[in-house]
Amino acid sequence: MAVTGRASTARASTARASTARASRSSGASLAGLLPTTVVGSYPVPEWLERLKTDYYQRRISAQHLNEIHEVAIKAALKDQELTGLDIVSDGELRRDNDIDYLLTRIPGIDIPHRAKTDYYDYYDAALSRPLPEPKDAGLGLGLAADFAFTREQTQRPIKFSFTGPFSLSRRVRNTAYADPADLVRGLARWLNAEAHALVAAGADLLQIDEPFLAGYPEAVQLAIEAVNIVTEGVDATWALHVCYGNRYARPLWEGHYDFLFPAVLAARIDQLVLEFARKGPGDLQLFGQHAWDRQVGLGVIDVKSADVESADLVASRIRRALEFVPAERLVVNPDCGLRHLPADVARAKLRAMVAGAAQVRKEQRSGQHPGRSANTDGSAAAAGQARSPGNTEPAD
Amino acid sequence: MHIDVRPVARLRGPNPVNVPAALEPLFVALSDAPVDPARLRVVCDWIQYRNNFCGPVECRPVLAERPGEHGRLGEQGRLGEHSQGGPAWAALDSLEIGIDLRRSGDVELAALVKEALAATADAAIPTGMVLEPWVPASESCIWRFNTLYWQALSRWEQATGREYEQALPGGESDARNTEAVHEMILELFRVWDELDARHALPQELYIVELGVGNGGQARTWLDAFAALDRGHGRDYYRRLHYLMGDYSAHVLDRARQTVAHHGDHVNGLVLDATRPLLTLGFLRGKAFCVYISNVYDNLPTDEVASIGGRPYLVEVQAYLREDEAAAIAGRHRVPAGTLAPLIERLLRLGPDLLAEAAPDAFADVGHAVALWRDVWAALCLRERYVPLEGLDAYRLSPSLTGEILRPLLGHGGDIRMHASNGALASFEGTLPLLHPFGRLLCHDLFLTEPAQYHCGFFGPGKYDGSVVNWVNGPLLQLIGNRRGYEVQIAPFTARPGSNIKTLTAQVRD
């Protein structure tokens, strides 16, 4: 059986519920050795930005915008398939930004002014009374429907991402909870309910994004506690993405990932998705230092630069990571979402990423192991072949 | 027929502008002119620059199609042979007649209107001595004159007997206003103290000034910084690096001398203000302040317009009126036919090398400078509106299409505005230099609302030997916002009543 994926990554020290997972392949494991994927967002063309803004200025209807989104998502999926990605996403193209798409759907969050000068702007959101419990409200956040549409459009494995409770909480003016941590927990319960709905709709690889966490390293324990609330009882492969910010293609913070450890070891997740292309490989050693034995989503593409990496450069970054993480636990992805890149640049970067991963995959299978012992499992690769037409190499 | 009276603020008060007096001769002239009044637009401006590029009356064709398309217009974009029998009107959406109300009372307006209409409608051969083909305004040779001014500034100053700062509105650069400088430095100290308390203050503290002139601004700032730092007691001066950037090595050398007493704290870099990242990329995310004073209004710009809901690019063509060209040729004793090539050589070589290369024409450099000044004083621009296929097809800066202009051009009816391409490129290239707690501070001639374009003339004008255009502030705000920066434009408090505004940009969210 595959040594990638959630079945193999359940640590005895974590409380992850893994019994139901063991019998079913999912997400990364389906894609074979060194599967390639995106973090979530895909380039938003200028025309789409204009139309989104038109919607927020009441110039086009929600119905028209929804149809536009569906066309754009289909195109984004096709783009990803053509670049050879193993695991695709809907590009988060329906979302105005990483925060408001969710906050506007959570009952109790007050957003007094819903028109926007630009669709990407953040709302001014407030909460004056504690959030209702999701089971009381009886409403979903609509992400499951988003996933269901995407599922209908592609045969490839899908990663579905959403912003995590800690980052969401940072954009809410809270007068409802005396302890701000309770707001984080309340938001986490809503996301947990939605995660259950996503799995019911067929999602099996879910990712929590925490773009603001790096700016508040002192809050990492709370953030991980909230992540565990989100993942509680949800039978999926869970990824956690922590970056240094990508709003307006600009890092919000600087620093190192050491703040994540050891707290993140207690997270009920299967994969940690981090940025290494822009920041360099320095923090890779943390995985060894802290005995991280689950998957790593390795950022090999700098999404803040329009310079297209070569396949060789991508391969060298993967090889460097292999010194710290075995191949069967590596997933290859960009540093963060691609939304700020021109579409042609993003496609070129993804093609380079796929080609770079293929180089290293080939080396691994031919026994040239520049890094740690890979100990690849042929059955996992074969399973990947079944649903991953982009991964065209022989399984073994 | 559409009549647009822009200087509305001058319609009342002690000396109101007499619009009817300007319109009456216009209608007289139009009564027997071979034009379709239904497609006429009359734009009355008040051109505040005594030295500018246009006459009291101008005709500006609003082309129906881009020149060369479907063979309807010749390269000159004038009515030319198409005017025979009137088919030229088929090539136009409309015709704009521009009247400068400041000068209209001093001229025979009806005669000038007739003359302008005739010149527009009749002309296989364009009038005057043409110095360039039709081009977007940012590509006009007026910007080569502008560059020449800054490169050969000392020659110009010798000839005029005054330094360029004396030509500025307050007689000196606004960046030398000590009150504003003190305010800015104290704000920096506040930010640095906070960062230091969180152990987040970098060891190297970078300040950047783009367009340093003679170094007077840098000297004022650094002297004030050193003095204030002594009082503040945190020894920030020791960690300070002040980088002066200018595209002229000569200007930088002069500035270096001015701030020599600050030693290694100051460095000078030759750079293009419109592409700061090319030289200053190493400072990405590190500059606590980027200081730009009176630079943006002097960078190349196009003008764009929305007429009848359709977007247009304003194209221009530099020329000398025939009588002016003849007078200049006579004064400098050169055959009239050689004047245009001589001007081209002047722009290419500058006055020093031109005098050296053509000793028969110029006894010394002073004579070459005299030619330069004469040509500059007489230089005119004719204009036309060329339709844009779509705003996205117009390249505003290397990374931006004209699509971002849409909310501004859609602002209430016909409008013409600066694209501020040079300022925009500089602004876009400067923002990434800012530290997350850094700030871009810019003193310049900024418009603050798109509606102002309905109510006034904002360039181009001639400012000494340079070009000046007010900067499209709302456009910079829009772009700053799209990049995640809070951009504010406020009155320049240190000089009340001044047209100068202060633009600040800093990270938001």
Side-chain angles (χ1 to χ4, degrees), chain A residues 46 50 117-118 121-122 171 247-248 250-252, chain B residues 392 401 403 406 481-485 507-509:
Chain A
E46 193 172 32
R50 180 179 149 205
T117 304
D118 183 78
D121 293 344
Y122 280 145
R171 291 295 311 174
R247 189 153 167 83
Y248 303 107
R250 200 176 53 221
L252 287 169
Chain B
D392 59 325
T401 74
E403 188 58 41
R406 187 173 296 278
N481 290 340
R482 295 294 170 274
R483 300 278 191 276
Y485 292 83
V507 170
R508 64 171 185 176
D509 290 343

Side-chain angles (χ1 to χ4, degrees), chain A residues 257-271:
Chain A
Y257 282 124
D258 46 5
F259 79 92
L260 283 174
F261 293 91
V264 75
L265 297 174
R268 282 192 292 261
I269 57 169
D270 305 283
Q271 190 184 118

Side-chain angles (χ1 to χ4, degrees), chain A residues 81 84-86 155-157 384-393:
Chain A
E81 289 178 2
L85 275 189
D86 299 310
Q155 295 301 307
R156 304 232 173 165
Q385 282 302 109
R387 286 183 59 187
S388 182
N391 185 352
T392 53
E393 294 171 1

